[in-house]
């Protein structure tokens, strides 16, 4: 058979433009009137937060490449400059759509439901104005630092992502107009609820209060104009790990620089005085193409606070409470239960508690000799961190890999690393040049028949907070082969040991991609032999060119491929003679889809894997990642069912079309199914059934009279 050329740029989508389509899918949730109003507000806030990070990292890196005159093309055939030329107008359109959604849909809907956002100080009643003025004098004024700019006072460094008010002020004595700026303090709440006067509740934003009272900060000056503005800076850390004598200190140093990186985006109020805008562009060294004029409040992340206002329960989803994991008895030692049978975890539908208990029980179990764990992102008051510290205090040998390079969690992780070291844990920072993104915990326990290794492997972080918001999978096992592999992983991370082979685990950066290519190749061979061949893969992003080429080859060979890709997807789906056997869907729901699951039909001997890695070059080539098999037949069936339910989702799934757009399915003739809601109901029903079974099993002794 003639080998097809899959390398043509027209066979791929650009990574950054694909990400923008993902953010549009979230924005569409904010527009969807079938979703409760406060949830729609939340989705709009998420789009703004996502866009901030996109600029600070992805756009910033492209600007750096253009500055360095790098002209290397991506897989879609675009140079960094060509990418920016498409990205900047697209992001401006996206922000325009964000504010149209806010102004035309969400704000009127809020007002109809009895919540008004007061846009201008002048719209306050006399009573409200007095309340606001008093609040300003008592709580706000003491915190503010007015910064005038003249020959003796240079323009201050404006911190990344901060909200500020710029002003032109007229010195009456000298008859000179100068620029001044005031930072809106992040230590104060941005959303202030006003005294209630009628049926509706009213809120005002902090910057409106400060702007109106600006004359109190610049006495003897006339305020010519005042408008809010915000800057986004390059926040991509440049760390030379090879030359860094102390990685922790080097990252601490780079974090401080992040707040003062090059300005890559200037957001200003749409009605900003042109003279003020000209001065800000000059002082911040910003070209016009990176100026974003905004018709509404800057920084829409404040909407997350609005969505959290008490009351309005009828406008929010009912809070889902994760259910107890079926089959786990909290009264029995967890290690005994794992020894009997592997345990599958599915968050947030079921509790994260067993993962926490796994470490807690290990910390207090006299038979546990050692605990080893990787930490990428953890919560602010992590029970797992506390348990690891307790384990060290109890004399266990505790080894923790804390990934210092977890983006935007660097500072948090440095704090945890120092605390764990003080507690007596052996803390390591991973391998030079690689992020350790794998999620693994190993407990070494002395038992009657010898040493036994218990392992937790997961698709998500050891974060008890996000475990209620992200959909992830996990496995608790004491499989001997996996235990040996787990030991080898930690020996590789803490020393220089590099095993030639692995029993069960797929480990990146050396082995994983080869294994995935081999698994895809096996399906290709089966298809060519006329056998049924199928691949189902669920992940966050897909942009690795080697994997995509192999998927194209598999499609052309007749392999049926269904992909569930939440975010970036550089693969084209449903294209004749390229990918006509491939479907791609993106599920955007109340929970963030985060699990990675890989299914291969294997001529009926089905293989199921789960893990921490997406099919991206950074995961497969530049990170320490782990993908693990699910071999227990009952658990394998459960995972396959999870995939099938997601493939059957008709309400929250967006289907990638051959022209590159995403569309929700036509519901005519289809059952309505929302996978996330299905899993919630399924978990609740299983828990009810489990309770009834336990009640039925209660032994009631008979009396003599009976």
């Amino acid at each position: 058979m003639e080998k097809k050329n899959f390398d043509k740029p027209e066979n791929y989508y650009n990574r950054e433009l694909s990400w923008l389509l993902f953010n549009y899918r979230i924005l569409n949730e904010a527009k969807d009137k079938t979703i409760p109003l406060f949830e729609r507000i939340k989705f709009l806030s998420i789009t703004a937060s996502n866009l901030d990070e996109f600029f600070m990292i992805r756009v910033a890196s492209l600007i750096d490449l253009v500055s360095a005159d790098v002209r290397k093309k991506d897989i879609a055939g675009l140079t960094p400059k060509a990418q920016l030329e498409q990205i900047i107008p697209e992001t401006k359109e996206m922000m325009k759509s964000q504010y149209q959604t806010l102004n035309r849909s969400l704000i009127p809907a809020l007002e109809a439901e009895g919540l008004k956002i007061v846009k201008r100080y002048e719209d306050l009643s006399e009573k409200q104005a007095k309340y606001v003025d008093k609040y300003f004098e008592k709580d706000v004024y003491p915190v503010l630092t007015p910064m005038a700019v003249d020959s003796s006072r240079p323009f201050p460094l404006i911190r990344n992502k901060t909200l500020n008010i710029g002003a032109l002020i007229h010195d009456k004595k000298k008859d000179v107009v100068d620029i001044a700026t005031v930072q809106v303090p992040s230590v104060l709440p941005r959303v202030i609820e006003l005294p209630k006067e009628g049926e509706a509740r009213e809120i005002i934003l902090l910057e409106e209060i400060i702007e109106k009272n600006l004359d109190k900060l610049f006495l003897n000056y006339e305020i010519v104009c005042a408008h809010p503005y915000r800057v986004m800076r390059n926040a991509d850390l440049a760390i030379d790990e090879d030359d860094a004598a102390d990685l922790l200190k080097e990252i601490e140093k780079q974090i401080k620089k992040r707040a003062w990186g090059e300005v890559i985006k200037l957001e200003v109020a749409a009605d900003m005085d042109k003279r003020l805008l000209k001065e800000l562009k000059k002082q911040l060294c910003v070209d016009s193409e990176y100026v974003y004029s905004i018709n509404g409040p800057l920084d829409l992340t404040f909407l997350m606070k609005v969505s959290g206002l008490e009351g309005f329960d009828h406008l929010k989803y009912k809070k889902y409470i994760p259910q107890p994991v079926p089959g786990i008895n909290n009264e029995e030692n967890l290690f005994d239960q794992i020894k009997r049978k592997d345990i599958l975890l599915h968050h947030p539908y079921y509790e994260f508690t067993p993962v926490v208990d796994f470490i807690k029980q290990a910390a207090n179990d006299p038979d546990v000799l050692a605990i080893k764990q990787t930490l990428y992102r953890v919560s602010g008051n992590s029970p797992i961190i506390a348990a690891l510290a307790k384990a060290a205090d109890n004399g266990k040998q505790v080894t923790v890999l804390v990934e210092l390079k977890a983006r935007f969690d660097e500072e948090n992780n440095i704090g945890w690393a120092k605390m764990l070291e003080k507690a007596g844990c052996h803390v390591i920072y991973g391998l030079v040049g690689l992020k350790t993104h794998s999620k693994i915990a190993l407990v070494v326990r002395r038992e009657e028949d010898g040493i036994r290794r218990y392992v937790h492997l997961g698709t998500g972080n050891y974060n008890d907070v996000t475990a209620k918001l992200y959909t992830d999978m996990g496995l608790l096992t004491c499989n001997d082969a996996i235990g040996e592999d787990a030991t080898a992983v930690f020996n590789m991370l803490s020393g220089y040991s590099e095993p030639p082979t692995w029993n069960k685990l797929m480990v990146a950066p050396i082995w994983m991609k080869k294994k995935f290519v081999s698994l895809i190749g096996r399906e290709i061979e089966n298809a060519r032999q006329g056998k049924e061949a199928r691949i189902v893969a669920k992940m966050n992003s897909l942009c690795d060119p080697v994997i995509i080429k192999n998927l194209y080859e598999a499609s052309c060979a007749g392999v049926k491929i269904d992909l569930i890709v939440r975010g970036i997807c550089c693969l084209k789906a449903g294209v004749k003679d390229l990918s006509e056997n491939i479907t791609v869907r993106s599920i955007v729901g109340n929970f963030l889809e985060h699990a990675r699951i890989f299914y291969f039909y294997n001529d009926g001997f089905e293989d199921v894997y789960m893990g921490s890695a997406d099919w991206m070059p950074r995961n497969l080539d530049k990170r320490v990642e782990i993908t693990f098999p699910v071999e227990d037949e009952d658990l394998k069936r459960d995972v396959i069912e999870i995939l099938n339910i997601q493939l059957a989702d008709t309400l929250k799934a967006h289907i990638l079309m051959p022209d590159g757009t995403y569309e929700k399915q036509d519901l005519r003739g289809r059952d309505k199914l929302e996978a996330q809601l299905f899993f919630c109901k399924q978990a609740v029903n299983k828990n009810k059934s489990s309770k009834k079974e336990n009640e039925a099993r209660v032994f009631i002794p008979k009396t003599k009279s009976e």
Side-chain angles (χ1 to χ4, degrees), residues 491-511:
N491 288 345
M492 180 180 74
L493 293 172
S494 62
Y496 294 99
S497 173
E498 189 178 287
T501 59
W502 299 88
N503 297 317
K504 298 287 185 180
L505 301 183
M506 280 191 247
V507 181
I510 298 174
W511 304 272

Side-chain angles (χ1 to χ4, degrees), residues 118-122 132 165 204-213 228:
V118 178
K119 295 180 181 179
R120 298 184 309 153
Y121 183 95
E122 287 76 15
V132 164
I165 295 172
I204 191 169
L205 299 181
L206 180 59
E207 61 264 29
E208 291 295 325
I209 299 173
I210 297 172
E211 187 178 323
K212 184 61 181 176
N213 288 278

Side-chain angles (χ1 to χ4, degrees), residues 451-453 477-485 503:
I451 296 294
R452 192 180 301 274
R453 286 172 280 211
T477 183
C478 61
N479 178 284
D480 288 338
I482 288 179
E484 285 181 14
D485 282 351
N503 297 317

Side-chain angles (χ1 to χ4, degrees), residues 542-558:
L542 169 59
C543 61
D544 185 85
V546 174
I547 295 290
I548 293 175
K549 285 177 204 171
N550 279 272
L551 291 174
Y552 285 156
E553 185 178 347
S555 173
C556 292

Side-chain angles (χ1 to χ4, degrees), residues 518-665:
S518 172
L519 291 169
I520 296 169
R522 187 177 62 191
E523 296 302 313
I524 293 171
E525 188 57 34
N526 286 338
R528 286 174 178 164
Q529 291 178 19
K531 299 176 182 177
E532 182 180 348
R534 186 155 189 243
I535 297 169
V536 183
K538 169 180 164 55
M539 66 203 79
N540 297 335
S541 299
L542 169 59
C543 61
D544 185 85
V546 174
I547 295 290
I548 293 175
K549 285 177 204 171
N550 279 272
L551 291 174
Y552 285 156
E553 185 178 347
S555 173
C556 292
V559 181
K560 171 70 174 166
I561 303 169
D562 291 304
L563 304 174
I564 307 167
V565 185
R566 185 193 81 215
I568 299 163
C569 182
C570 296
L571 173 145
K572 293 192 172 184
V575 178
K576 188 171 174 19
D577 296 328
L578 178 71
S579 57
E580 53 197 312
N581 286 312
I582 303 177
T583 69
V584 176
R585 69 197 61 227
S586 169
I587 295 175
V588 179
N590 192 35
F591 302 125
L592 180 83
E593 291 292 336
H594 194 252
R596 291 88 166 183
I597 307 172
F598 308 96
Y599 166 90
F600 301 89
Y601 182 66
N602 188 22
D603 196 21
F605 298 94
E606 298 161 298
D607 286 330
V608 173
Y609 296 88
M610 305 191 300
S612 57
D614 293 311
W615 280 347
M616 302 179 74
R618 73 180 188 189
N619 297 92
L620 300 175
D621 302 328
K622 299 176 182 177
R623 290 184 175 183
V624 178
E625 302 273 14
I626 295 174
T627 298
F628 52 94
V630 180
E631 296 187 324
D632 179 283
E633 289 301 323
D634 293 334
L635 301 187
K636 189 186 289 186
R637 296 261 71 79
D638 289 344
V639 177
I640 292 171
E641 183 196 12
I642 288 167
L643 288 174
N644 286 334
I645 293 297
Q646 292 215 315
L647 290 174
D649 190 311
T650 53
L651 294 178
K652 294 297 180 181
H654 300 70
I655 309 301
L656 176 59
M657 309 306 289
D659 65 357
T661 60
Y662 281 82
E663 293 182 6
K664 283 196 173 181
Q665 295 178 69

Side-chain angles (χ1 to χ4, degrees), residues 60 63-64 67 232-235 258 260-265 285:
I63 291 172
D64 285 344
S67 298
M232 201 68 55
R233 294 181 179 274
N234 186 333
R258 176 180 274 164
W260 318 116
E262 177 192 4
V263 176
I264 55 172
K265 186 184 185 191
C285 303

